[in-house]
Amino acid sequence: MPRGRYSLHDPHDHTPLGEEHFHCAPGPSGWRYVSQRTTPSGEHTGSVDLALDERGRPIRLELHAAGWQVRGAALDGVTWVRTDPAGTHAAEGNVRAHAFTGTSPAFLVATARLLRLAPGDPATRVRLVAFTDPVLAPRTVDRSWALVKSEAHGTDNGPLTVDEYRIGCLDTGEQYTVHIAGDVVLAAPGIELEDLETPPSHFT
């Protein structure tokens, strides 16, 4: 069960945004990721709980941030309920999309697991519902994903395969690179892996 800590920063000016303390593990029915998020000074700001089925689809998502809460799952596309801080109003949404995304590294692993690309495959278009910080506002986005290469690196625990993905934002044309090993993001814009207590898990 990988357990560790990501640092989060603004991908443009590198302003520190906080940290995400996580643990995750594959299971007989898929994969689960749980994390707590803090400010740079250590104050709690929210949490992420994401569970995928064996095909990489989100069967349960629960997000907390700034008093807001989102619960969602893959149902007729993706469906979610967003609740305001006072808890007096709940707004339901549904979009014909493949999965969810957001600022948590969990969503990069989840999308890679959903697409299961091979090096050399043409770029794949995927529609996602993004929950934006800090109030978890939903926004539908289109991305292109391509697996550029997979390389094995020697470690004290044996070879570690690192996948390099090229991701494109189809609405802005922006492209960026993400490195993932198993179920851990090694590096991505705005994300750095600072500490990892156990090696990444490998999906079968």
Side-chain angles (χ1 to χ4, degrees):
M1 177 185 294
R3 182 184 300 269
R5 173 174 55 89
Y6 294 108
S7 64
L8 308 176
H9 57 267
D10 187 294
H12 302 290
D13 62 14
H14 302 290
T15 300
L17 300 177
E19 295 185 335
E20 187 161 327
H21 301 256
F22 73 95
H23 62 273
C24 56
S29 61
W31 180 72
R32 187 179 180 196
Y33 177 100
V34 177
S35 70
Q36 300 292 322
R37 307 187 78 173
T38 61
T39 65
S41 61
E43 298 177 0
H44 183 263
T45 59
S47 62
V48 178
D49 189 342
L50 173 64
L52 309 180
D53 67 11
E54 69 279 1
R55 295 174 59 186
R57 297 172 301 186
I59 55 175
R60 186 181 70 255
L61 171 68
E62 185 169 330
L63 301 175
H64 294 266
W68 294 88
Q69 174 181 291
V70 167
R71 294 177 184 266
L75 181 66
D76 295 328
V78 292
T79 299
W80 69 92
V81 175
R82 177 173 175 265
T83 305
D84 64 293
T88 55
H89 302 285
E92 183 174 334
N94 172 262
V95 171
R96 290 288 183 179
H98 299 92
F100 300 108
T101 191
T103 55
S104 172
F107 294 113
L108 294 173
V109 176
T111 303
R113 179 62 175 163
L114 176 71
L115 298 178
R116 303 190 189 201
L117 301 174
D121 285 350
T124 296
R125 178 172 179 159
V126 58
R127 174 159 289 182
L128 305 167
V129 172
F131 293 106
T132 58
D133 292 337
V135 296
L136 303 179
R139 184 168 65 95
T140 303
V141 298
D142 291 310
R143 299 280 188 262
S144 68
W145 275 64
L147 178 54
V148 178
K149 60 183 176 181
S150 294
E151 291 185 339
H153 298 265
T155 71
D156 294 339
N157 298 301
L160 179 68
T161 299
V162 178
D163 296 325
E164 178 183 328
Y165 292 93
R166 184 176 63 250
I167 302 174
C169 303
L170 298 184
D171 55 344
T172 64
E174 179 185 8
Q175 292 194 347
Y176 52 92
T177 299
V178 170
H179 292 88
I180 298 176
D183 56 357
V184 173
V185 176
L186 302 182
I191 299 168
E192 293 292 340
L193 179 64
E194 300 290 352
D195 180 58
L196 185 63
E197 296 180 10
T198 52
S201 299
H202 295 284
F203 293 111
T204 56

